[in-house]
Structures are given as C-alpha cells and as structure tokens.
Amino acid sequence: MAETITIIDDRTGKKITVPVKDGVFASSALRELDPNLRMYDPAFLSTAACASSITYLDGEAGILRYRGYPIEQLAEKSTFLEVAYLLLKGELPTTQELEAWNFEVTHHTMIHENMRKRFVDGFHYDAHPMGMFISAIAALGTFYDDSKNIFDEEVLNKQIRRLVAKVPTIAAMTYRFSSGLPFVLPNNSMSYAQNFLNMMYRIGDDYTVHPALARAMDVLFILHADHEQNCGTTAMRVVASSHADPYSATAAAAAALSGPLHGGANEAVIHMLTEIGDVKNVSAFVEQVKKGDDRLMGFGHRVYKNFDPRATILKKTAYEVFEVTGKNPLLDIALKLEEVALNDEYFISRKLYPNVDFYSGLIYQALGFPVEMFTVLFAIPRTVGWLAHMSELLKDKEQKISRPRQSYTGVGERNYVEMKKR
Ligand code: CMC
C-alpha cells in the first residue's frame, strides 16, 4: 500500500501527492496547490502541531505511555521523581542517576524569603490558590537572571530542577497563606510527596505523613505528569516557541490548566457532587445533563473515547486512601452517577466515560485538601511534562515561533464614519 496521500484541487485540476509518515502528512504541501490555501481546524482537532517522543496516547484503546512505559506499570512500580527523570531525560535512571537527581531536586526546594514575605503576603486574604500559583511561578523567574539563557542546556536544566523542586513549596505556600497558617520549610530528608504533605499540614510537631497517603499522592503525581498535547502543554509550547523563559512559559501553561474544562474539572466535580447532595437526586441530575442544562463534570475526554486509563488506576487508589481516611461521603453519589451514566444511551452514544478528574477530586478531598487547591495539585506534577515539552521543542529544528493563520470572515474595507453620522 502506498504511504502517500493525493490531493486534487478541483478548482484548478492541480494535484499533489504527499508522503504519509506516522499517521501525518505535511499540510505545508497544500501551498503547492495554492499559496493562499489553509487548513481550517478550530481547536486543532485534526492537527499535529509537533513531533514528540515523550508520551504516547491512544484514545480509542485507552493507552497512555510515558517514553514507552505503560502508565499502569509506572503507577504501580515507580516513584514520581523517577517518572520525572524519565519524562525529562528519556530513559529510566540507574541507581546512581536517581540518587543524584533526587539530591538535586531536594536541594532546590527552598524559595527566596522575598517570595513569601513580599510577594505571597501581598495577595488579598481570600485569593484563589491557583491564581497565586500562576503568578508566583512567573514571579519566581525574576529571581533567576540566567533563566533567559534557554539555549544553554546546563542553564536550562538548572531552571528545570528549580521549577520541579519549588512547585510543591509554592503550592503549599498558597494553601498556608489562604488558611492563615505559618509557612513550613521544606524537609530535605523526606520524599517529594511526603515533603509536600508535610509543608501542607504540619502544625508544630504534631504531624506525621501516613505512608499510604504519601504513596497515593505520589501515584496522583505520576498519573498527572504528562498527557501530550493538551491545552496546558500547547500553551507551554506556544509561549516557549517565542523563546520566553521557562518560568513565564510554565505560568502560561498553568493559566491554561486553570480553566474548568481542563485542570479545573476536578474542583467542578466536587461542586457537582455536593450540589447533587444525595444518591436519590442522581437520576434527576442526569436528565438535566441530557437536556443540556448541565454538564457531567469528570466525564468525557477529547481523546479517550472508551476509557481513561488514569481513571481506572485512580478508582483503585481512592479505595486505598479511604481505608486510611474513612470513606468520602460523596463517593456513593459518584458511584451511582457513574453507574447511571454508563448505562444511559446519551453517554454511551457520545462515548462519555469517567476521566481522571472524576476520582481525583474525591481523593484530594479525603486527603484534606480544600477544593480550591485541586488544580494546583494537578499543576505540581504537570510542571514536569510542560518542561519536558519545552526542552524537546527547543531542540526541534522544524519548530518556529507559533503563529497560526485565520480565515477572515469580517467586513471588507470601508471608510471611517464620523461620530455624528453613525
Ligand atoms: N456532560 C454531558 N455531555 C457531554 C459531556 C459531559 N461531560 N462531554 C461531552 N458531552 C457531549 C457534548 O455536549 C456533545 O454532545 P452533542 O454532540 O449532542 O453536542 C458531545 O458530548 C461531544 O462533546 P464535545 O464537547 O464535542 O467533546 P470535546 O472533545 O470538545 O470535549 C471535554 C471534551 C473534556 C471538554 C468535555 O467532555 C467536557 O466538557 N467534560 C467535562 C469537563 C471535564 O471533565 N474535563 C476534564 C477533562 S480530563 C482532564 C484533562 O486532561 O484536562
């Protein structure tokens, strides 16, 4: 079978034959037919904007792999920092490499005192943690003059280590600030997830991190570390393509993540379950969704059309967490909602299944996080994915500054009309 595609322009009879490789063809070939011809693809539904070797995703088959490793194996056997190394460097680390990486990340977890005293303290007392997180990441870049030097690999890698190390500290800081609690310094003897929980919850000496909960946090971090060209990662790539520094690009990606259709969905799931309030109200709510008056948050995905493998892992993790914390009272409503939706023609025909956010919110809540922190929890591990994509983009000789074209549908040229004549 020929690995080519032939396109005929019926307006002129001109024909081009273009090679198809890895499921894509170069749409730039269309310019041979007509230099003004463009592909119209709102929201990039059919566009591959880059070549990437980081994450493989097959939405029909429910497959997610980081650098070739199935997400199920990583969630079961790996740790978040090991996965971070894998995503950023392409291979699993050896024992020595992992030790060195853990040491480097652990020793960059501190934040400059001015960040806390002047920057974070300047927020209004009820500022949303995600808004604080986004701005704090951008502000962090101003502490590192060298961060603009993105084509010096060692300098870039240093910013990556700093960002991976400091995002949990910033995240915990936003929480402590909004709760009026004193900040807790990072503890270098703890694992990444343990240290984060410790910075979140320690009050005096009265806190020990439960190992099962630290593990659940680590699994959540692993599952959220990357998801190829989603909205946040696309924002990261677009901003990084202008050669902005990694802090500014990460802040932009975090801003994209904050929307309710993306990383904000887990927060929306809890609001939805709370509003439903009781198992007996589930069917009425589903009817409302079917009428288009509401949306079933935590359901549906742009690419997963059979199941989201992350949701399957998280359902199991949820039960492990509930064994320690006691069952989240919203679980019964969630289970009933899932059961009703999965058996309803509306959801079946549209291939709508629980996504990662359907269960993550329930776990976060059981771990004691307020809903406003949920998107921040997503942003911590996703920072690794964003930075892996930025590094890849900067080495990609085919990339240029992102600059899509448009199909102009406005009025043609017209003369300015004086105010009194309008
Ligand atoms: N509840 C009810 N109907 C839905 C839902 C939903 N959650 N999702 C999609 N639909 C319907 C939609 O109304 C449309 O119906 P129709 O064909 O009759 O107009 C059909 O299903 C196709 O939906 P779509 O909007 O074209 O799908 P999309 O690929 O553009 O949107 C989505 C994907 C995730 C934005 C959407 O499913 C959604 O809004 N889900 C709820 C929010 C959510 O859980 N987001 C988290 C995504 S996973 C985390 C991440 O990776 O960011």
Side-chain angles (χ1 to χ4, degrees):
M1 192 178 65
E3 289 295 314
T4 55
I5 191 162
T6 298
I7 304 163
I8 302 169
D9 186 340
D10 292 327
R11 299 167 306 168
T12 58
K14 269 198 211 167
K15 183 165 104 171
I16 48 165
T17 298
V18 196
V20 177
K21 193 164 174 282
D22 300 326
V24 299
F25 75 94
S27 57
S28 55
L30 292 175
R31 278 186 237 133
E32 286 174 38
L33 291 177
D34 173 352
N36 295 316
L37 192 61
R38 309 267 176 254
M39 314 260 293
Y40 180 61
D41 187 15
F44 313 124
L45 287 171
S46 332
T47 295
C50 63
S52 179
S53 59
I54 300 170
T55 289
Y56 175 77
L57 206 166
D58 179 339
E60 289 299 326
I63 293 173
L64 173 61
R65 297 183 199 132
Y66 295 161
R67 303 282 189 187
Y69 294 102
I71 193 68
E72 293 80 3
Q73 291 181 22
L74 293 171
E76 193 190 329
K77 299 184 178 167
S78 191
T79 62
F80 173 67
L81 277 189
E82 188 183 40
V83 168
Y85 185 102
L86 172 70
L87 285 167
L88 288 161
K89 299 183 192 263
E91 294 297 335
L92 284 170
T94 61
T95 310
Q96 288 95 325
E97 284 166 341
L98 185 59
E99 268 171 23
W101 169 242
N102 284 349
F103 183 88
E104 282 166 0
V105 171
T106 307
H107 287 81
H108 277 102
T109 48
M110 293 285 274
I111 302 279
H112 194 290
E113 268 293 275
N114 279 352
M115 268 299 282
R116 180 177 72 72
K117 285 198 187 136
R118 302 208 175 166
F119 191 78
V120 177
D121 274 359
F123 281 106
H124 199 51
Y125 71 95
D126 62 352
H128 194 288
M130 194 56 186
M132 288 194 262
F133 181 85
I134 295 165
S135 354
I137 296 293
L140 192 61
T142 64
F143 287 81
Y144 305 111
D145 261 2
D146 53 348
S147 67
K148 309 267 177 238
N149 203 357
I150 54 171
F151 288 105
D152 181 326
E153 204 166 342
E154 187 35 46
V155 172
L156 179 66
N157 285 339
K158 192 167 184 188
Q159 313 315 318
I160 290 175
R161 287 195 293 274
R162 281 177 171 148
L163 272 160
V164 174
K166 291 181 205 303
V167 281
T169 316
I170 291 177
M173 216 183 245
T174 66
Y175 166 73
R176 304 286 294 201
F177 175 79
S178 31
S179 312
L181 292 166
F183 298 109
V184 176
L185 292 178
N187 183 327
N188 292 351
S189 67
M190 291 182 171
S191 76
Y192 194 83
Q194 258 181 333
N195 175 46
F196 174 57
L197 291 172
N198 189 59
M199 288 188 292
M200 284 287 300
Y201 296 127
R202 170 166 293 277
I203 294 185
D205 289 335
D206 187 20
Y207 182 70
T208 38
V209 185
H210 193 293
L213 302 187
R215 178 62 195 156
M217 195 76 245
D218 214 45
V219 170
L220 280 154
F221 283 165
I222 291 171
L223 298 184
H224 286 88
D226 193 47
H227 211 231
E228 53 119 299
Q229 310 309 320
N230 54 78
C231 180
T233 305
T234 300
M236 182 81 182
R237 279 183 171 266
V238 169
V239 175
S241 79
S242 75
H243 298 169
D245 69 77
Y247 299 89
S248 307
T250 302
L257 184 73
S258 71
L261 296 188
H262 192 8
N266 46 22
E267 186 176 336
V269 170
I270 296 297
H271 289 312
M272 174 189 73
L273 295 175
T274 310
E275 204 179 301
I276 295 173
D278 195 294
V279 171
K280 68 178 186 327
N281 301 330
V282 163
S283 298
F285 177 76
V286 169
E287 287 312 309
Q288 233 170 280
V289 170
K290 284 159 64 177
K291 274 197 271 160
D293 295 343
D294 241 312
R295 196 151 259 240
L296 186 42
M297 299 312 285
F299 256 67
H301 201 275
R302 173 58 57 78
V303 283
Y304 292 121
K305 298 299 177 195
N306 268 318
F307 67 98
D308 179 341
R310 303 167 301 171
T312 314
I313 299 167
L314 276 190
K315 194 169 178 181
K316 190 167 152 271
T317 309
Y319 283 102
E320 286 161 11
V321 167
F322 298 156
E323 265 184 35
V324 180
T325 62
K327 196 172 80 176
N328 185 325
L330 296 176
L331 177 69
D332 290 336
I333 303 174
L335 289 173
K336 183 71 185 165
L337 199 53
E338 185 182 9
E339 182 199 313
V340 173
L342 291 182
N343 288 297
D344 190 297
E345 192 43 36
Y346 175 95
F347 298 93
I348 296 170
S349 62
R350 288 169 178 79
K351 299 187 171 216
L352 300 171
Y353 297 86
N355 59 49
V356 68
D357 291 318
F358 195 66
Y359 286 104
S360 62
L362 290 174
I363 305 178
Y364 292 147
Q365 209 176 37
L367 289 172
F369 294 103
V371 282
E372 296 75 30
M373 277 298 288
F374 288 6
T375 318
V376 177
L377 298 173
F378 191 156
I380 295 172
R382 187 52 64 83
T383 297
V384 166
W386 293 330
L387 292 166
H389 282 273
M390 177 166 181
S391 298
E392 187 178 66
L393 171 103
L394 294 178
K395 290 191 196 104
D396 185 343
K397 299 270 180 289
E398 289 186 350
Q399 288 295 336
K400 287 174 182 286
I401 184 168
S402 283
R403 206 304 185 187
R405 304 300 289 255
Q406 65 169 12
S407 165
Y408 177 70
T409 58
V411 293
E413 187 182 4
R414 49 182 168 169
N415 288 324
Y416 181 79
V417 181
E418 295 303 329
M419 185 66 82
K420 56 180 185 287
K421 292 195 180 150
R422 284 179 219 162

Coordinates of all heavy atoms in Angstrom, one line a residue, residues 35 64 66 70 95 112-113 117 124 142 155 180 183 187 197 207 209 230-231 262 313 327 367 369 412 418:
P35 N -0.9 29.0 -2.9 CA -0.2 29.6 -1.7 C -1.1 30.2 -0.7 O -0.7 30.4 0.5 CB 0.7 30.6 -2.4 CG 0.4 30.7 -3.8 CD -0.6 29.6 -4.2
L64 N -2.0 4.8 27.6 CA -1.2 6.0 27.9 C 0.2 5.5 28.3 O 0.3 4.6 29.2 CB -1.8 6.8 29.1 CG -1.0 8.0 29.7 CD1 -0.7 9.0 28.6 CD2 -1.7 8.6 30.9
Y66 N 4.4 6.7 29.0 CA 5.4 7.8 29.1 C 6.7 7.1 28.6 O 7.2 6.1 29.1 CB 5.7 8.2 30.5 CG 4.6 8.9 31.3 CD1 4.6 9.0 32.7 CD2 3.5 9.5 30.6 CE1 3.6 9.6 33.4 CE2 2.5 10.2 31.3 CZ 2.6 10.2 32.7 OH 1.6 10.9 33.4
P70 N 4.1 1.7 30.0 CA 2.6 1.9 30.3 C 2.4 2.6 31.6 O 3.1 2.3 32.6 CB 2.1 0.4 30.3 CG 3.1 -0.4 29.6 CD 4.4 0.3 29.7
T95 N 20.6 3.5 39.4 CA 20.5 3.8 40.9 C 21.3 5.1 41.2 O 20.8 6.0 41.8 CB 21.2 2.7 41.7 OG1 20.6 1.5 41.3 CG2 21.0 2.9 43.2
H112 N 13.1 31.8 47.8 CA 13.7 33.0 48.4 C 12.7 33.7 49.3 O 11.5 33.7 49.0 CB 14.0 34.0 47.2 CG 14.9 35.1 47.6 ND1 14.4 36.2 48.4 CD2 16.2 35.4 47.3 CE1 15.4 37.0 48.6 NE2 16.5 36.6 47.9
E113 N 13.2 34.2 50.5 CA 12.3 34.8 51.5 C 11.4 35.9 51.0 O 10.3 36.1 51.4 CB 13.2 35.3 52.7 CG 13.4 34.3 53.8 CD 12.2 33.9 54.5 OE1 11.8 34.7 55.5 OE2 11.5 32.9 54.2
K117 N 7.6 36.8 51.8 CA 7.3 38.0 52.6 C 6.7 39.1 51.8 O 5.8 39.8 52.2 CB 8.6 38.5 53.2 CG 9.1 37.6 54.4 CD 10.0 38.4 55.2 CE 10.7 37.6 56.3 NZ 12.1 37.8 56.4
H124 N -4.6 39.3 48.4 CA -5.7 39.5 49.2 C -6.0 38.2 50.0 O -5.7 37.1 49.5 CB -6.9 39.8 48.3 CG -8.1 40.4 49.0 ND1 -7.9 41.5 49.8 CD2 -9.4 40.1 49.1 CE1 -9.1 41.9 50.3 NE2 -10.0 41.0 49.9
T142 N 11.9 36.0 38.0 CA 12.6 37.3 38.2 C 13.8 37.1 39.2 O 14.6 38.0 39.3 CB 11.7 38.4 38.6 OG1 11.2 38.1 39.9 CG2 10.5 38.6 37.7
V155 N 22.2 25.6 31.8 CA 21.4 26.6 32.4 C 19.9 26.2 32.4 O 19.2 26.3 33.4 CB 21.6 28.0 31.7 CG1 20.6 29.1 32.3 CG2 23.0 28.5 31.9
G180 N -4.2 31.1 56.6 CA -3.7 32.0 57.7 C -2.7 31.2 58.6 O -2.5 31.5 59.8
F183 N 4.2 29.4 57.3 CA 4.7 28.5 56.3 C 5.6 27.5 56.9 O 6.2 27.8 58.0 CB 5.5 29.4 55.3 CG 4.7 30.3 54.5 CD1 4.8 31.7 54.8 CD2 3.7 29.9 53.6 CE1 3.9 32.6 54.1 CE2 2.9 30.8 53.0 CZ 3.0 32.2 53.2
N187 N 11.5 19.9 53.9 CA 12.3 19.0 54.7 C 13.0 18.1 53.7 O 12.4 17.2 53.1 CB 11.4 18.2 55.6 CG 12.1 17.2 56.5 OD1 13.2 16.7 56.1 ND2 11.6 17.0 57.7
L197 N 3.2 17.0 51.6 CA 2.1 16.8 52.6 C 2.5 17.5 53.9 O 1.7 18.1 54.6 CB 1.8 15.4 52.8 CG 1.1 14.7 51.6 CD1 0.9 13.2 51.8 CD2 -0.3 15.3 51.3
Y207 N 2.5 16.3 63.4 CA 2.0 15.7 62.1 C 3.0 14.7 61.6 O 4.2 14.9 61.6 CB 1.9 16.8 61.1 CG 1.4 16.3 59.7 CD1 0.1 15.9 59.6 CD2 2.3 16.2 58.6 CE1 -0.3 15.4 58.4 CE2 1.9 15.7 57.4 CZ 0.5 15.3 57.3 OH 0.1 14.8 56.1
V209 N 3.4 12.0 58.3 CA 2.8 11.7 57.0 C 2.6 10.2 56.9 O 3.5 9.4 57.1 CB 3.7 12.1 55.8 CG1 3.1 11.9 54.5 CG2 4.2 13.5 56.0
N230 N -2.2 18.5 25.3 CA -3.4 19.0 25.9 C -3.4 20.6 25.9 O -2.3 21.1 25.5 CB -3.6 18.5 27.3 CG -2.4 18.8 28.1 OD1 -2.2 19.9 28.6 ND2 -1.5 17.8 28.2
C231 N -4.4 21.2 26.4 CA -4.5 22.7 26.3 C -3.3 23.3 27.0 O -2.6 24.2 26.5 CB -5.8 23.1 26.9 SG -6.1 24.9 26.9
H262 N -10.4 22.0 31.8 CA -9.1 21.3 31.8 C -8.8 20.9 33.2 O -9.5 20.1 33.8 CB -8.1 22.3 31.2 CG -6.8 21.8 30.8 ND1 -6.5 20.4 30.9 CD2 -5.6 22.4 30.4 CE1 -5.2 20.2 30.5 NE2 -4.7 21.4 30.2
I313 N -7.0 3.5 37.3 CA -6.0 3.4 38.4 C -6.5 4.2 39.6 O -6.4 3.8 40.8 CB -4.6 4.0 37.9 CG1 -4.1 3.1 36.7 CG2 -3.6 3.9 39.1 CD1 -2.9 3.8 36.0
K327 N -14.3 6.7 54.3 CA -14.9 6.9 53.0 C -15.3 8.4 52.8 O -15.9 9.0 53.7 CB -16.1 6.0 52.8 CG -16.6 5.9 51.4 CD -17.6 4.8 51.3 CE -19.0 5.3 51.7 NZ -20.1 4.4 51.5
L367 N -7.9 13.5 51.4 CA -6.5 13.8 51.9 C -6.5 15.2 52.6 O -5.5 15.6 53.1 CB -5.5 13.8 50.8 CG -5.1 12.5 50.1 CD1 -4.3 12.7 48.9 CD2 -4.4 11.6 51.1
F369 N -7.4 18.2 51.3 CA -7.2 19.4 50.5 C -8.5 20.2 50.3 O -9.5 19.5 49.9 CB -6.6 19.1 49.1 CG -5.3 18.5 49.2 CD1 -5.1 17.2 49.0 CD2 -4.2 19.3 49.4 CE1 -3.8 16.6 49.1 CE2 -2.9 18.8 49.5 CZ -2.7 17.4 49.3
G412 N -15.4 43.8 4.5 CA -14.3 44.3 3.6 C -14.0 45.7 4.0 O -14.5 46.3 4.9
E418 N -17.8 59.4 10.6 CA -17.7 60.4 11.6 C -18.8 60.1 12.7 O -19.9 59.7 12.3 CB -18.0 61.8 11.1 CG -16.9 62.3 10.1 CD -15.5 62.3 10.7 OE1 -15.3 62.5 11.9 OE2 -14.5 62.1 10.0

